[in-house]
Amino acid sequence: MKSSASANSKSPFKFRIPTAENLVPIRLDIEIDGQRFKDAFTWNPTDPDSEVVVFAKRTVKDLKLPPAFITQIAQSIQSQLTEFRSFEGQDMYTGEKIITIKLDLRVNNTLIRDQFLWDLNNYESDPEEFSRTFCKDLGIEDPEVGPAIAVAIREQLYEIAVQNVASARESRLSKKGRRGFEHVSASKTGGASVDLMKLFGHRSSAVRKRKDWDIYEPIVDLLSNEEVDALEAKEERAAR
């Protein structure tokens, strides 16, 4: 799937996340009667809403959760889908723009910290493929880590897309607009965009700045069960 907008275009086009598949990052954190359920995954916004309840029922059954979780899971997913769909059809701006994606997450016993550049104008990018390569290169064996990294990337790209919608809306309401914020001059960043495409082709948008290789190299730690228990207890206290 290729973007209909030119990478150098300053005219608005319709909202979408800058990836090959326009998937919604979904995050659940539900607690009922002292029992907590957390999960993160992606959802195709074109899927029928009836699939939400089917998914909720299957999740509760597979994880042996109390039936009360079915409604809460379905409502949370539906709410996030509704918010995403509220942006569909709205104008957003793009320009030559490269952002920094930051990872700081724990999946089971694996702790990951990293940051790298991402080209917002590459609509052939694939966070899931990037995450699989990331895990393979770093020898990460936990199968849950890759999907978690992909969701974290998509959440940040989604946030940027929403900001671009707000920028387009504000520019319509003001003659001055916020051109400096919305658009980055092609003369300043065009070279960087070309370099990204030369290095990574059409399916990837990530690159590390050479001067930051020693500072921001990926950090992957395997925690002991005791360390995980301590972190989870700290997270529980913070959630309260």
Side-chain angles (χ1 to χ4, degrees), residues 161-228:
V162 170
Q163 291 174 3
N164 289 341
V165 168
S167 296
R169 185 184 302 120
E170 289 177 13
S171 72
R172 291 196 303 269
L173 298 176
S174 170
K175 288 184 179 180
K176 294 182 179 179
R178 294 168 63 188
R179 301 290 180 180
F181 175 77
E182 296 159 8
H183 304 132
V184 180
S185 171
S187 64
K188 294 181 179 179
T189 61
S193 179
V194 171
D195 289 343
L196 282 173
M197 295 305 294
K198 284 182 179 178
L199 287 170
F200 299 101
H202 295 288
R203 299 296 294 178
S204 178
S205 286
V207 65
R208 300 179 197 281
K209 290 184 287 188
R210 183 178 295 274
K211 68 183 181 67
D212 292 340
W213 281 358
D214 292 333
I215 303 174
Y216 297 122
E217 65 182 63
I219 297 174
V220 178
D221 288 331
L222 285 178
L223 306 178
S224 66
N225 291 334
E226 291 75 15
E227 290 173 320
V228 170

Side-chain angles (χ1 to χ4, degrees), residues 5-13 91-96 121 168 171 179-180 182-189:
S6 166
N8 293 320
S9 173
K10 290 188 178 182
S11 60
F13 63 103
D91 287 342
M92 61 182 283
Y93 281 109
T94 188
E96 292 287 1
N121 289 294
S171 72
R179 301 290 180 180
E182 296 159 8
H183 304 132
V184 180
S185 171
S187 64
K188 294 181 179 179
T189 61

Side-chain angles (χ1 to χ4, degrees), residues 135-146:
C135 290
K136 180 180 179 180
D137 290 348
L138 296 178
I140 299 174
E141 298 180 353
D142 187 337
E144 295 183 24
V145 173

Side-chain angles (χ1 to χ4, degrees), residues 114-172:
D114 194 13
Q115 70 178 49
F116 42 84
L117 301 180
W118 195 277
D119 182 6
L120 291 180
N121 289 294
N122 185 357
Y123 282 75
E124 292 292 331
S125 67
D126 187 339
E128 285 72 26
E129 181 178 306
F130 170 85
S131 300
R132 287 191 293 270
T133 302
F134 182 95
C135 290
K136 180 180 179 180
D137 290 348
L138 296 178
I140 299 174
E141 298 180 353
D142 187 337
E144 295 183 24
V145 173
I149 291 174
V151 170
I153 293 172
R154 285 187 177 277
E155 285 178 326
Q156 293 174 65
L157 296 178
Y158 178 22
E159 182 180 356
I160 293 294
V162 170
Q163 291 174 3
N164 289 341
V165 168
S167 296
R169 185 184 302 120
E170 289 177 13
S171 72
R172 291 196 303 269

